[in-house]
Amino acid sequence: MLLPYFTEENNFESSAIIESAALELKNIFNAISKQFMRPYYCAVGHDFFMWIDDHAKAELPPFCPSP
């Protein structure tokens, strides 16, 4: 659901539906991903994970912390 919005180069207003889906993805990913794999996910999908963080509007730590 989120991928089409991610690829539109932010030519839309963030809606409650997108925020909710981003937060759900973040919660699920945090629950099932392996912590030791995080650097690899961040290296390959940094822009996507940063976009999710921006739209999730949550108190959760970022996927890819700044160095």
Side-chain angles (χ1 to χ4, degrees):
M1 178 182 167
L2 293 169
L3 201 52
Y5 294 104
F6 170 69
T7 60
E8 286 187 16
E9 299 179 12
N10 294 325
N11 292 332
F12 65 93
E13 292 291 323
S14 185
S15 71
I17 294 170
I18 294 168
E19 290 175 17
S20 176
L23 181 58
E24 183 178 0
L25 175 82
K26 192 166 181 160
N27 283 324
I28 291 169
F29 190 82
N30 280 332
I32 65 171
S33 67
K34 303 292 184 200
Q35 197 65 27
F36 72 92
M37 293 293 293
R38 271 305 157 87
Y40 299 103
Y41 295 133
C42 289
V44 172
H46 186 265
D47 291 343
F48 179 70
F49 287 122
M50 295 303 291
W51 185 88
I52 293 295
D53 283 336
D54 288 345
H55 288 81
K57 308 221 186 304
E59 297 297 320
L60 298 171
F63 277 125
C64 306
S66 300

